[in-house]
């Protein structure tokens, strides 16, 4: 099956301006690539800033920390688009791994480590946990363990999973903050709608650059209002231009820049729960980008290479000293808005990010983008992803009460359980509510086994289980996806009813995906001939 056939069969990608393998002119591609990255800057900055705040990292170190995230993001994107699944997906800092990261930071900074600042001790423990947990992800990907899951996936599972990726940020503070500036958010969102939906037929620039045009116009407006004193320092739309001038020109970013990573098994187990949630989210992203770009659903081979490469890049991020790397849903939403699914475009954007990640002024300029503007971007991008998830239901028999129950139930619990987990600030607070220490003490006492040598391993195992429940339970797409996966494969239903018969026709064959190794061997054979 070819990509053209999948589009003809009704894929969402029928409106694609540039397909995955197409190469727009270099200048246009650079601008489009930067636009892809601008859609995810809010999230890619939020993660390091949240971690830096939790570690009480000094301001000068924080700027370098943020820059490192962008350098890692660019390198991981180049690796994924070239050697991994080869989808045009930007890689960035994962929110799914933020909960265990904050738990690690909380535990380490509470106790302190002699001879090191608390932030450095916490960061080294975080690096070690990410490296070891991600090595397991590498094995799961390249040994085919994740790809085998594809045979259990149907549109009934994928639709709510993708939809929950978009719905997960409906309560983001950039949107729902009590002091929200709705005029600025409305300006950004209105400009995106104007350019992408109303003026897209008037000029190609409106179709290709709605995000970057809206972002630049909204930022210039807020910067001008800030300079002329119309909005003050405490206003959510205030732009601090002075902070840009105070930035360093170049930032020293290199492997092991914070020191040698340290390894604690309890932290590794907790981080692995975040890695699992990231894997579930990434699989949903793969299906979403295939749907949007007019490609067939990803093959088992492509999924394996994608997850394997994400694991390798997570290991790399640990070595560089960041909080991990995963596929970014914001970028997928940009494909839906702009119709630009070119791998080449994303690769050029990644190259730009690697360069500017070393430039202190860039990171500070990005940091000045006000939350209301980011909120407007979020509404447009994530609304698009929700629609992509729902579009998968066209393959499903929606007259089936079985299907409507599974889909509705998965969506509901995928929103409800993370909302409940939001009552707890961290896994530590969740452990206290569960009464972990008391439960372990009761088990040890009731079974008659005693002594620290026995109690400590039991407590560590119980802690790992509770932390895993908290982390996965805090990730909507993981909860909804796992519930839908279980129900869809246990509640009786025909292949036609579940949408598998139609989907099999649209899924790419294993031979359609050429890994880097396949292409290298083909080139080598051709050279010998």
């Amino acid at each position: 099956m070819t990509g053209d056939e999948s589009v003809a069969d009704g894929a969402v990608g029928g409106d694609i301006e540039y397909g995955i393998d197409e190469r727009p002119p270099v200048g246009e591609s650079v601008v489009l690539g930067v636009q892809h990255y601008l859609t995810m800057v809010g999230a890619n900055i939020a993660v390091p800033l949240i971690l830096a705040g939790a570690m009480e990292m000094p301001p000068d170190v924080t700027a370098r920390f943020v820059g490192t995230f962008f350098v890692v993001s660019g390198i991981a994107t180049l690796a994924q688009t070239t050697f991994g699944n080869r989808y045009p997906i930007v890689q960035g800092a994962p929110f799914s791994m933020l909960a265990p990261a904050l738990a690690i930071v909380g535990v380490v900074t509470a106790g302190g480590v002699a001879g090191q600042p608390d932030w450095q001790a916490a960061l080294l423990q975080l690096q070690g946990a990410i490296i070891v947990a991600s090595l397991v992800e590498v094995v799961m990907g390249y040994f085919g363990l994740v790809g085998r899951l594809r045979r259990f996936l149907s549109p009934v599972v994928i639709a709510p999973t993708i939809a929950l990726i978009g719905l997960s940020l409906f309560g983001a503070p950039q949107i729902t903050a009590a002091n929200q500036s709705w005029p600025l958010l409305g300006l950004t969102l209105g400009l995106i709608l104007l350019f992408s939906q109303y003026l897209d037929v008037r000029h190609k620039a409106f179709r290709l650059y709605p995000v970057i045009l809206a972002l630049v116009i909204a930022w210039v407006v807020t910067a001008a209002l800030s300079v002329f004193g119309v909005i003050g320092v405490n206003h959510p739309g205030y732009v601090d231009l002075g902070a840009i001038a105070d930035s360093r020109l170049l930032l020293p970013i290199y492997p092991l820049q914070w020191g040698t990573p340290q390894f604690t098994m309890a932290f590794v187990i907790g981080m692995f729960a975040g890695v699992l949630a990231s894997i579930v989210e990434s699989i949903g992203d793969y299906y979403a980008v295939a749907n949007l770009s007019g490609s067939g659903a990803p093959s088992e081979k492509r999924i394996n290479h994608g997850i394997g490469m994400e694991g390798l890049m997570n290991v790399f991020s640990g070595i560089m000293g960041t909080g991990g790397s995963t596929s970014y849903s914001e970028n997928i939403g940009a494909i839906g808005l702009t119709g630009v699914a070119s791998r080449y475009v994303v690769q050029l954007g990644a190259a730009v990010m690697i360069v500017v990640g070393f430039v202190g002024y860039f990171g500070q300029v990005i940091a000045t983008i006000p939350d209301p503007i980011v909120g407007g971007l979020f509404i447009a991008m994530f609304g698009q992803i929700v629609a992509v998830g729902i579009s998968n239901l066209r393959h499903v028999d929606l007259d089936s009460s079985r299907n409507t129950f599974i889909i509705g139930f998965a969506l509901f619990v995928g929103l409800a359980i993370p909302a409940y987990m939001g009552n707890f600030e961290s896994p530590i607070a969740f452990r206290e509510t569960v009464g972990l220490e008391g439960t372990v003490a009761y088990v040890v006492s009731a079974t008659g086994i005693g002594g620290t040598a026995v109690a400590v391993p039991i407590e560590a195992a119980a802690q790992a289980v509770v932390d895993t429940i908290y982390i996965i339970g805090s990730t909507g797409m993981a909860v909804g996806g796992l519930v839908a996966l279980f129900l869809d494969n246990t509640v009786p239903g025909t292949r036609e009813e579940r949408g598998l018969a139609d989907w099999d026709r649209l899924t790419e064959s294993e031979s359609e995906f050429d890994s880097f190794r396949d292409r290298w061997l083909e080139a080598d054979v051709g050279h010998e001939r």
Side-chain angles (χ1 to χ4, degrees):
M1 181 197 68
T2 65
D4 293 337
E5 289 171 344
S6 67
V7 172
D9 284 328
V12 175
D15 294 329
I16 286 297
E17 187 77 25
Y18 292 115
I20 290 179
D21 295 315
E22 292 185 89
R23 291 191 171 202
V26 175
E28 183 177 304
S29 294
V30 171
V31 177
L32 290 171
V34 171
Q35 177 175 249
H36 267 285
Y37 265 86
L38 286 176
T39 63
M40 52 80 78
V41 292
N44 206 44
I45 284 181
V47 172
L49 290 183
I50 290 171
L51 287 173
M55 290 185 280
E56 298 183 359
M57 187 178 281
D60 58 327
V61 179
T62 300
R64 184 169 150 200
F65 192 47
V66 173
T68 305
F69 270 78
F70 276 93
V71 172
V72 169
S73 172
I75 293 174
T77 301
L78 285 177
Q80 185 68 274
T81 55
T82 306
F83 308 111
N85 58 35
R86 307 195 71 230
Y87 277 144
I89 304 180
V90 171
Q91 307 291 295
F95 277 96
S96 54
M97 294 165 66
L98 184 58
L102 289 174
I104 292 170
V105 170
V107 171
V108 177
T109 54
V113 177
Q116 289 179 311
D118 281 346
W119 69 264
Q120 188 173 357
L123 189 50
L124 294 179
Q125 288 286 355
L126 176 60
Q127 288 180 249
I130 290 174
I131 290 171
V132 178
S134 301
L135 287 173
V136 180
E137 184 180 15
V138 174
V139 173
M140 291 175 66
Y142 285 118
F143 279 80
L145 301 179
V146 177
R148 290 173 189 169
L149 180 66
R150 191 185 65 82
R151 67 195 68 177
F152 301 105
L153 299 176
S154 77
V156 175
V157 178
I158 291 300
T161 302
I162 295 177
L164 284 165
I165 292 173
L167 292 171
S168 64
L169 277 187
F170 79 94
Q174 292 91 341
I175 299 173
T176 60
N179 66 337
Q180 178 62 272
S181 173
W182 290 105
L184 291 181
L185 185 149
L187 171 64
T188 307
L189 183 57
L191 288 171
I192 292 175
L193 291 174
L194 177 67
F195 296 142
S196 67
Q197 304 301 320
Y198 293 101
L199 299 181
D200 59 321
V201 295
R202 298 293 184 90
H203 196 281
K204 185 178 180 181
F206 296 129
R207 166 65 173 163
L208 294 179
Y209 310 116
V211 174
I212 199 168
L213 286 172
L215 183 64
V216 170
I217 292 172
W219 186 88
V220 169
V221 169
T222 54
L225 293 175
S226 301
V227 169
F228 291 107
V230 178
I231 56 179
V233 176
N234 295 324
H235 191 281
Y238 181 75
V239 175
D240 185 6
L241 295 178
I244 300 174
D246 293 337
S247 300
R248 296 175 60 181
L249 175 59
L250 296 177
L251 301 172
I253 296 172
Y254 50 89
L256 304 179
Q257 57 190 320
W258 319 114
T260 304
Q262 298 176 0
F263 307 94
T264 301
M265 185 52 63
F267 294 160
V268 170
I269 295 173
M271 182 56 67
F272 183 63
V275 169
L276 286 177
S278 172
I279 289 174
V280 174
E281 182 179 2
S282 292
I283 293 175
D285 285 341
Y286 298 171
Y287 276 90
V289 76
N291 201 351
L292 275 171
S293 62
S295 303
S299 64
E300 182 175 322
K301 184 178 179 183
R302 190 187 294 271
I303 291 174
N304 286 332
H305 277 74
I307 298 301
M309 181 54 68
E310 284 197 19
L312 285 176
M313 289 300 99
N314 269 325
V315 173
F316 173 69
S317 75
I319 293 173
M320 292 295 294
T322 69
S325 175
T326 190
S327 59
Y328 250 46
S329 305
E330 289 91 334
N331 153 242
I332 298 169
I335 293 175
L337 278 176
T338 66
V340 178
S342 168
R343 180 192 305 115
Y344 176 67
V345 162
V346 173
Q347 289 172 329
L348 284 181
V352 172
M353 287 305 109
I354 293 173
V355 174
V356 299
F358 288 93
V359 180
Y361 294 121
F362 168 78
Q364 197 59 53
V365 167
I366 296 299
T368 63
I369 299 176
D371 280 352
I373 294 179
V374 176
L377 291 177
F378 277 2
I379 292 174
M381 300 299 157
F382 283 89
Q384 182 76 22
I385 295 170
V386 173
V388 169
I390 294 172
S391 72
N392 280 278
L393 297 179
R394 70 188 184 277
H395 305 294
V396 173
D397 180 6
L398 290 178
D399 291 327
S400 166
S401 60
R402 168 202 185 274
N403 288 344
T404 55
F405 174 81
I406 294 173
I407 294 164
F409 185 71
L411 283 170
F412 191 88
V413 298
L415 293 172
I417 293 180
Y420 168 73
M421 293 298 182
N423 293 315
F424 310 101
E425 295 182 358
S426 69
I428 298 174
F430 185 60
R431 290 179 210 159
E432 293 174 354
T433 301
V434 172
L436 181 62
E437 292 183 5
T439 302
V440 171
Y442 174 78
V443 170
V444 172
S445 175
T447 55
I449 56 177
T452 303
V454 175
V456 170
I458 292 177
E459 183 174 359
Q463 178 179 309
V465 171
V466 172
D467 286 357
T468 300
I469 292 172
Y470 172 81
I471 293 162
I472 293 180
S474 301
T475 310
M477 68 287 297
V479 174
L482 291 173
V483 167
L485 179 68
F486 173 76
L487 293 176
D488 188 48
N489 286 277
T490 55
V491 177
T494 65
R495 292 182 62 80
E496 289 75 14
E497 186 180 11
R498 298 168 61 195
L500 284 171
D502 191 30
W503 209 355
D504 285 347
R505 188 167 53 89
L506 298 175
T507 300
E508 66 179 358
S509 66
E510 296 296 318
S511 61
E512 282 188 76
F513 172 69
D514 289 331
S515 66
F516 177 78
R517 179 176 177 275
D518 295 333
R519 287 177 282 121
W520 180 76
L521 289 175
E522 288 173 5
D524 192 47
V525 170
H527 178 72
E528 290 178 358
R529 289 178 180 174

